[in-house]
Amino acid sequence: MNDAAFSAASIDLASVDGWHAECDVLIVGGGGAGISAAIEAADAGASVIVLEAASEAGGSTAIAGGLIYMGGGTPTQLACGFEDDIEEMYNYLLQAAGPGADPAKVRLYCDRTLEHYDWLTRQGVVFKPEYYPHKHTNTPNEAALMTTGNEEAWPYSTYARPAPRGHKPQIKGDHGGIPLMQNLLRSARDKGVRIICDARALNVIQRGSEVIGIAARIDMQVRYFRARRGTLLAAGGFILNRAMVEHFAPRLAHGNYPNGNPNDTGDGIRIGIGAGGAVANMHDGFICTPFYPPRQFLEAIIVDETGNRFINEDVYHGRLGAAILDRPDGRYYLIIDSRHFSVLERPPMGGYPVAGTGETVEELERELHLPQGALTRTLDTYNRDAREAEDSLFHKHAKYLVPLDEPPYAAFDLTPGNGAIFATMTFGGLDTLPTGEVLTADKQIIPGLYAAGRNSAGLPRCAEGYSSGMSIGDATFFGRMAGLSAAARRLRIRHEQE
Ligand SMILES: Cc1cc2nc3c(=O)[nH]c(=O)nc-3n(C[C@H](O)[C@H](O)[C@H](O)COP(=O)(O)OP(=O)(O)OC[C@H]3O[C@@H](n4cnc5c(N)ncnc54)[C@H](O)[C@@H]3O)c2cc1C
């Protein structure tokens, strides 16, 4: 199967027998990207329709933790006593985006991070100025601010000065997407944006290469919507489309927990391919195995079937997940000693079964079927390094270096297929400029077509470097950029003709 097999072929204007509705900017998808785009387009004076396949708008953004990656000295950072610098944030995010980074998008995102924070608060989003100091998947209380990636972990700690940049809209626990989308949706509706639910976009309508609307299914009927200025695809990722995942991103196919809403089926990407759009970075995505909480597990070691460590165990859970799914047929164990047994009143978040226990290291080694002496050697080196507060092999931060020398021992099984959670979502999408304009394979702009959020390849590009907050930060910010561009298009065309 080649990429073209995933195209939702476009419809020629000649076969459209009448418009169901018309507007200036037509948006597919009422999640974080689509609604942010709608707000900006409406503010720019455009009439806006959003087509939403679900019965309620919100998308994956609404069910997300809601962390948004912002820095450079936001009011929340400053109120919590943290200084930050836009250049430090840029250096970090460029590395976090990995070898496929789009430097122009990273630059624009960082340069406008304070403005984006301000924009979100103007839509009613509240960030409680409180810092949560521990490693966790989200702030468990109402605190807004936490460190959400690899900022303090080697090698990222060598690229940029760490700062906490994850901002969660105020709510208790892992539900920041709810207040975020409630506020964005209220703001959009207040500005006159029309959101049509139970409307599934199927194809673009083109006049030559120009995109002028969308065919959508509503009540089992195909209806045609005309966009006078621009059509914007913001229909989310494709982690729920098994065929697309296997074709484009086989590493993610080893995951067992698709992180998304049921409409994360790549419709928008396929519609964009049908209009002549190229895709980018389709192979990569988020791979999370949440080995913390409990945060005490950062003091554990993680070994593979050779009995050797392979990573600094203070990394973000996505970096560990990526390392494991790089070699999904290996065996992986998290090893603790009796000092950590007290945290086991609740099972680890990652769903890891116990793989073995031992009164001695040798006994545990035998239970795990590791090569004789391997785990003993690994622990000897690790414990010596921990006492000297210097991880000579993988540079784990000294604050997590605690000797594992108090038997008995226990091992949790992180091996894919044995019960461990590997949550995945996609990063790839249509190739776009920072303005949201969709590009063809030879980098030509498709007139009238825009994409944002997980319908496009944006800020997050690399499993190994991902930080929580990059996705919603990207979706809301570049959604805004695309909405502004689409709203400005007709004016620009008129200006060019004068
Ligand atoms: C549980 C969970 C937790 C997460 N936590 C975080 C976090 O804390 N921070 C972070 O940065 N990221 C997080 N993410 C990822 C992040 O939520 C998404 O990457 C991001 O919100 C995507 O935004 P979007 O606007 O592109 O898509 P969405 O918000 O999913 O919006 C797309 C919309 O398009 C609609 N749609 C799809 N197909 C069609 C169609 N054919 N016609 C019309 N409508 C259609 C969908 O129904 C949906 O409403 C999390 C994701 C999940 C699932």
Side-chain angles (χ1 to χ4, degrees), residues 29 31-33 52-53 59-61 64-67 199 201 234-235 261 263 267 453-454 469 471-472:
E52 167 54 54
S60 291
T61 315
L67 288 159
N261 78 83
N263 288 319
D267 291 12
R454 283 301 57 79
S471 295
I472 296 180

Side-chain angles (χ1 to χ4, degrees), residues 284-338:
D284 220 328
F286 171 74
I287 303 168
C288 159
T289 190
F291 68 104
Y292 57 85
R295 66 190 142 88
Q296 289 84 350
F297 275 11
L298 295 156
E299 296 170 1
I301 61 166
I302 301 173
V303 300
D304 63 14
E305 72 278 9
T306 68
N308 291 305
R309 294 170 66 215
F310 54 94
I311 200 161
N312 41 326
E313 296 88 354
D314 56 348
V315 290
Y316 176 66
H317 47 61
R319 187 166 172 82
L320 176 66
I324 291 180
L325 288 200
D326 260 349
R327 208 168 55 80
D329 51 352
R331 288 188 286 130
Y332 303 92
Y333 304 106
L334 181 143
I335 313 256
I336 57 173
D337 72 1
S338 63

Side-chain angles (χ1 to χ4, degrees), residues 276 438-446:
V438 176
L439 300 173
T440 62
D442 52 0
K443 302 287 179 196
Q444 300 302 305
I445 291 169
I446 299 176

Side-chain angles (χ1 to χ4, degrees), residues 102-122:
D102 182 335
K105 284 184 182 159
V106 180
R107 186 75 261 173
L108 185 66
Y109 184 80
C110 293
D111 286 348
R112 303 240 341 230
T113 181
L114 294 175
E115 185 273 338
H116 191 49
Y117 178 101
D118 184 49
W119 182 86
L120 287 165
T121 58
R122 276 191 281 117

Side-chain angles (χ1 to χ4, degrees), residues 338-355:
S338 63
R339 218 183 318 229
H340 300 99
F341 288 2
S342 61
V343 302
L344 296 178
E345 284 162 8
R346 281 192 300 164
M349 189 170 184
Y352 311 129
V354 174

Side-chain angles (χ1 to χ4, degrees), residues 303-308 331 333 361-378:
V303 300
D304 63 14
E305 72 278 9
T306 68
N308 291 305
R331 288 188 286 130
Y333 304 106
V361 177
E362 292 76 14
E363 189 184 334
L364 181 64
E365 192 177 86
R366 277 194 302 278
E367 282 212 9
L368 299 179
H369 304 289
L370 300 177
Q372 195 183 353
L375 190 58
T376 306
R377 279 192 297 278
T378 296

